[in-house]
Amino acid sequence: KEKPQQGKVIAVGPGRHEDGKVIPLDIKKGDKVLFGKYAGSEIKLDGEEHLIMREDDILGVIED
């Protein structure tokens, strides 16, 4: 198995849509999270690499 990766959440959307309702996310800006090595889609923004991923791709939040 691959080891999970760690990262910091820099932005979140309003939530996911289910049955016409918006379900708020449990993840918030600034959270440190663990995610699978191949999770999300890589993008380059202002010379920095970022990952866009669904909340379902996040394995857990790291508490300080």
Side-chain angles (χ1 to χ4, degrees):
K1 265 192 155 183
E2 299 288 336
K3 286 188 176 182
Q5 304 291 311
Q6 179 177 327
K8 183 177 178 183
V9 178
I10 60 168
V12 295
R16 67 179 189 274
H17 295 271
E18 236 177 66
D19 298 325
K21 297 179 183 176
V22 177
I23 310 298
L25 301 174
D26 293 327
I27 303 298
K28 61 188 178 301
K29 183 178 176 180
D31 283 349
K32 290 182 186 174
V33 296
L34 291 175
F35 53 90
K37 184 171 183 167
Y38 301 107
S41 300
E42 292 183 12
I43 63 163
K44 199 169 203 175
L45 188 64
D46 296 329
E48 289 188 44
E49 291 190 15
H50 298 278
L51 280 175
I52 296 177
M53 66 178 64
R54 299 173 54 92
E55 187 179 37
D56 296 345
D57 292 334
I58 295 173
L59 303 173
V61 177
I62 300 171
E63 299 287 329
D64 287 329

